Amino acid sequence: MKSNTARIAVAAAAIAQKIKNVLPFAKLRLRLQRKNFTVISMASQQVQPKLVIHGGAGSCLQSKGGIEAVRKSLYDVLEAVYPLLKNGASAVDAVVQGCRLLEDDPRFNAGTGSVVQSDGQIRMSASLMDGLAQRFSGTINVARVQNPIELAQFLQTSDDRVLSDYGAAELLRELQLPIYDPMTDLRLHEWMQERQGNFNKAMATVVAEPAGVGTIGVVALDTQGRLAAGTSTGGKGFERIGRVSDSAMPAGNYATGNAAVSCTGIGEHIMDECLAARIVIRVTDGLSLKAAFERSFAEADDRKRDFGAIGIDANGAIAIGKTSEIILGAFHNGTEMGNTLEANKGTLVFVA
């Protein structure tokens, strides 16, 4: 009996040792299987990135070189930024790059080519909103910088996320950004004509678009389903010193995990409607992006507003709306590019 008991004990010990030796490999295999499953799951959850941009709203393309020149400028930005999204860039990074390119194009009223205020100075505003973090940042009436959107990007991680003129100027010094003059010959000539007419805004359309309607904006959905929106402007043109643009407010630029919107047009009208936030909140409350745009622009049309907006929702729907005659909108839906430069005049909501 004792010998049998001893043999059983020895066998049991041997089996236990084998289990002990095999168990780490079994656990490792299970971890690898779980890791592989996670990778496969993450890959399957990737979405088709979407991108929509605008170069302002108004009534005439003549001052910007005509429809083909504007279309080329917008498509150049789409062709530069969309591949970044396809390669995994975040929505925030894509929005910043798109805004930077539009700010550098003198056709548009943002960055280089910004309109001039009544005292002959250029003051610019920009904002950025990360939909995933639901974090807003911006700069108001900043001068002597090439890309105001870069200040908004830096402020995303700051405790103080919106800075006005003096604070923005101090931030420029801290970041050691080079001093830059965004004035163009066109804008200088426009301001000189207005000065001769004692800043009668009827003159504003002689060499440029009607005052108060120029802005640029970018909205993006990345492969991880994250949304972001950015808006930048040179302001209204010939305005009272200190006037604050909608572009540096959630009224003109807003994003959550459900939708993101950038606006353009007469800033005071956009503020009165709180347009960007209104559309996004309506999507959050259950409306489709199309329905949110249609309701918001129908209300705006009744109140004789003059503006436009672009947006994307979490499902990848793209919308462009306007009450103005023209909105300089363009988009990339993953398979093709399109634009609204030849859309019918009057109130319209376009969905891609």
Side-chain angles (χ1 to χ4, degrees), residues 92-134:
V92 168
D93 287 342
V95 163
V96 170
Q97 179 61 12
C99 286
R100 187 185 292 118
L101 293 172
L102 289 165
E103 287 174 338
D104 287 342
D105 190 329
R107 293 186 197 282
F108 306 118
N109 176 22
T112 303
S114 290
V115 294
V116 185
Q117 295 190 354
S118 57
D119 63 346
Q121 299 298 311
I122 289 176
R123 299 177 180 89
M124 301 163 285
S125 299
S127 68
L128 176 66
M129 190 153 187
D130 180 341
L132 178 65
Q134 203 163 335

Side-chain angles (χ1 to χ4, degrees), residues 54 127 136 215-217 219 229-232 245-255 261-264 267 270-271 273-278 308-310:
H54 72 74
S127 68
F136 182 93
T215 318
I216 63 93
V219 177
T231 307
S232 181
S245 165
D246 68 282
S247 298
M249 301 180 185
N253 190 73
Y254 197 70
V261 171
S262 169
C263 301
T264 179
I270 293 169
M271 290 182 240
E273 297 291 326
C274 201
L275 184 62
R278 174 175 290 181
I310 59 174

Side-chain angles (χ1 to χ4, degrees), residues 81 85 89-100 128-133 135 137 149 152-154 156 218-222 226-230 255:
V81 176
L85 286 169
S90 71
V92 168
D93 287 342
V95 163
V96 170
Q97 179 61 12
C99 286
R100 187 185 292 118
L128 176 66
M129 190 153 187
D130 180 341
L132 178 65
R135 184 184 298 120
S137 61
I149 194 66
Q153 182 184 27
F154 176 84
Q156 276 280 304
V218 179
V219 177
L221 173 71
D222 66 25
R226 298 169 297 194
L227 290 158

Side-chain angles (χ1 to χ4, degrees), residues 6-343:
R7 284 196 294 269
I8 291 171
V10 170
I15 293 171
Q17 185 61 43
K18 287 182 180 180
I19 292 173
K20 185 177 179 181
N21 292 336
V22 170
L23 189 59
F25 294 101
K27 289 181 177 178
L28 177 60
R29 179 178 292 180
L30 181 60
R31 286 197 299 269
L32 289 173
Q33 288 174 340
R34 286 175 175 171
K35 184 177 181 181
N36 188 49
F37 176 75
T38 301
V39 171
I40 293 172
S41 297
M42 289 177 64
S44 65
Q45 291 173 357
Q46 286 194 345
V47 300
Q48 178 74 58
K50 301 292 176 69
L51 180 65
V52 61
I53 66 177
H54 72 74
S59 60
C60 180
L61 291 171
Q62 182 178 355
S63 66
K64 298 183 182 297
I67 189 170
E68 292 306 323
V70 172
R71 194 191 331 265
K72 183 180 185 307
S73 287
L74 294 174
Y75 279 9
D76 283 350
V77 174
L78 293 177
E79 289 172 345
V81 176
Y82 191 79
L84 302 179
L85 286 169
K86 286 287 287 185
N87 290 330
S90 71
V92 168
D93 287 342
V95 163
V96 170
Q97 179 61 12
C99 286
R100 187 185 292 118
L101 293 172
L102 289 165
E103 287 174 338
D104 287 342
D105 190 329
R107 293 186 197 282
F108 306 118
N109 176 22
T112 303
S114 290
V115 294
V116 185
Q117 295 190 354
S118 57
D119 63 346
Q121 299 298 311
I122 289 176
R123 299 177 180 89
M124 301 163 285
S125 299
S127 68
L128 176 66
M129 190 153 187
D130 180 341
L132 178 65
Q134 203 163 335
R135 184 184 298 120
F136 182 93
S137 61
T139 182
I140 299 170
N141 289 335
V142 63
R144 299 183 178 278
V145 62
Q146 183 172 356
N147 297 112
I149 194 66
E150 292 180 352
L151 295 182
Q153 182 184 27
F154 176 84
L155 291 168
Q156 276 280 304
T157 56
S158 172
D159 290 335
D160 306 305
R161 293 205 301 271
V162 180
L163 296 181
S164 62
D165 45 7
Y166 295 116
E170 182 60 31
L171 178 59
L172 286 175
R173 285 191 288 271
E174 289 178 16
L175 297 177
Q176 297 183 336
L177 293 178
I179 293 175
Y180 180 80
D181 183 4
M183 181 77 76
T184 63
D185 290 342
L186 175 68
R187 296 306 189 189
L188 178 60
H189 181 48
E190 177 188 23
W191 182 80
M192 291 175 66
Q193 284 193 318
E194 285 301 302
R195 188 182 181 197
Q196 291 174 359
N198 195 26
F199 300 106
N200 176 0
K201 290 186 180 180
M203 286 293 294
T205 58
V206 173
V207 294
E209 74 272 2
V213 298
T215 318
I216 63 93
V218 179
V219 177
L221 173 71
D222 66 25
T223 57
Q224 301 302 313
R226 298 169 297 194
L227 290 158
T231 307
S232 181
T233 185
K236 197 175 189 179
F238 320 113
E239 65 263 57
R240 183 186 295 272
I241 300 168
R243 182 249 184 190
V244 177
S245 165
D246 68 282
S247 298
M249 301 180 185
N253 190 73
Y254 197 70
T256 66
N258 299 294
V261 171
S262 169
C263 301
T264 179
I266 295 179
E268 282 68 21
H269 290 187
I270 293 169
M271 290 182 240
D272 290 342
E273 297 291 326
C274 201
L275 184 62
R278 174 175 290 181
I279 292 172
V280 171
I281 289 170
R282 282 175 164 166
V283 173
T284 303
D285 287 344
L287 286 184
S288 68
L289 186 68
K290 180 176 185 291
F293 262 74
E294 287 177 341
R295 181 180 295 183
S296 300
F297 277 86
E299 294 167 350
D301 186 64
D302 288 342
R303 289 189 276 269
K304 309 300 181 186
R305 307 301 195 192
D306 188 352
F307 52 47
I310 59 174
I312 302 177
D313 70 10
N315 297 318
I318 298 172
I320 302 176
K322 69 180 183 70
T323 57
S324 56
E325 290 189 28
I326 297 170
I327 180 168
L328 312 185
F331 63 88
H332 199 311
N333 62 12
T335 57
E336 63 180 355
M337 295 188 296
N339 66 85
T340 58
L341 299 181
E342 297 176 278

